[in-house]
Amino acid sequence: MSKPQPFVVPAGVTFQITDAGVVIENEGDIVLHTNFGRSLTRIVSTAGSVTIHAPVDGGAVHAAGDVALHGDARATSVEAGGNVTVTGAATVGTVTAGGNVTVGGAASIDTLSATGNVQVSGDATSQRIDVGGDIGIEGGVSGGSVRAGGTLRVSGAFKADTVHGHTIRLEGASITARGIQGAHAVHIGAAKIQVDAIIAPEVHVDPATNGRATVVECHNDLGPNAVKGGFRLADYAEMFGDPTSFLAERGLAPIGAA
């Protein structure tokens, strides 16, 4: 019979279990294999990482290093100087990471900010996603603004306000947005689209794409498609006047502008 593991609380650790929840603050790593049957009100490692092998339902999980949550996670905020990993679904108010963010299920995150890459295996709902690297979402997207310093790829239905990225690949059956801007290229799959403006040096539209895109500004020929509108900015200016305010209201700028 194996010897039971000791329960050891090192000196300098703040450790509280109350009816309101669990509070643990430690300078080094924190590793939990239980949530003590309570809400995790505050789990903080000021110089190490946090790993929780149990469902998280609580307030704040912060670490100077990585945060790894093995299971579903519900929290007010998750912050890491390094990577954030959630193996299940994530319902979080704010996620901030100095590295990558990986969510194994669906993600409902009000504000997501990461220096590295973001990968979500399910649907993603967010009011603001701002990522320095690539974004890959295997499901659909519903939210406000999405910005990727690298490639943005969404496999499912897409609905957002403004979208920015170096290369944008939207592959779902429906795409709704006020503005889409790619620093290099925008690729639209065989989808029904409702978009005010698409701006990129290269815009590639599947021949089966249909719907409406009022403005499509690019340097290449779109080829055959069933999209209504598709005015270049010069055409828009002739018909409706200066497009500057039209673009600004949608968070967009002409190709090559800062």
Side-chain angles (χ1 to χ4, degrees), residues 130-146:
D130 194 342
V131 175
D134 299 336
I135 300 174
I137 298 175
E138 298 302 324
V141 167
S142 177
S145 65
V146 181

Side-chain angles (χ1 to χ4, degrees), residues 100-240:
N100 303 323
V101 175
T102 304
V103 180
S108 177
I109 300 169
D110 291 343
T111 302
L112 192 162
S113 177
T115 302
N117 303 322
V118 168
Q119 183 68 39
V120 178
S121 297
D123 295 335
T125 302
S126 180
Q127 289 303 307
R128 179 176 174 269
I129 300 176
D130 194 342
V131 175
D134 299 336
I135 300 174
I137 298 175
E138 298 302 324
V141 167
S142 177
S145 65
V146 181
R147 182 182 297 272
T151 297
L152 167 66
R153 185 183 65 82
V154 179
S155 298
F158 187 89
K159 184 177 182 180
D161 185 17
T162 59
V163 188
H164 292 81
H166 182 265
T167 300
I168 297 172
R169 297 182 179 275
L170 303 180
E171 303 166 353
S174 64
I175 298 167
T176 303
R178 296 186 72 214
I180 299 174
Q181 181 142 28
H184 172 63
V186 173
H187 299 263
I188 303 293
K192 181 175 183 179
I193 68 174
Q194 295 292 327
V195 182
D196 290 350
I198 302 173
I199 310 288
E202 296 181 18
V203 176
H204 302 280
V205 177
D206 189 281
T209 302
N210 64 86
R212 173 190 62 82
T214 304
V215 169
V216 179
E217 179 75 356
C218 60
H219 294 156
N220 63 290
D221 183 2
L222 291 180
N225 62 78
V227 177
K228 298 177 181 178
F231 296 112
R232 301 300 173 108
L233 289 177
D235 299 329
Y236 183 96
E238 288 183 5
M239 298 180 66
F240 305 109

Side-chain angles (χ1 to χ4, degrees), residues 25-47:
E25 296 187 23
N26 185 35
E27 182 179 2
D29 294 344
I30 297 174
V31 179
L32 299 180
H33 289 270
T34 177
N35 58 12
F36 304 96
R38 299 285 191 275
S39 173
L40 300 178
T41 305
R42 182 173 173 81
I43 308 297
V44 177
S45 173
T46 57

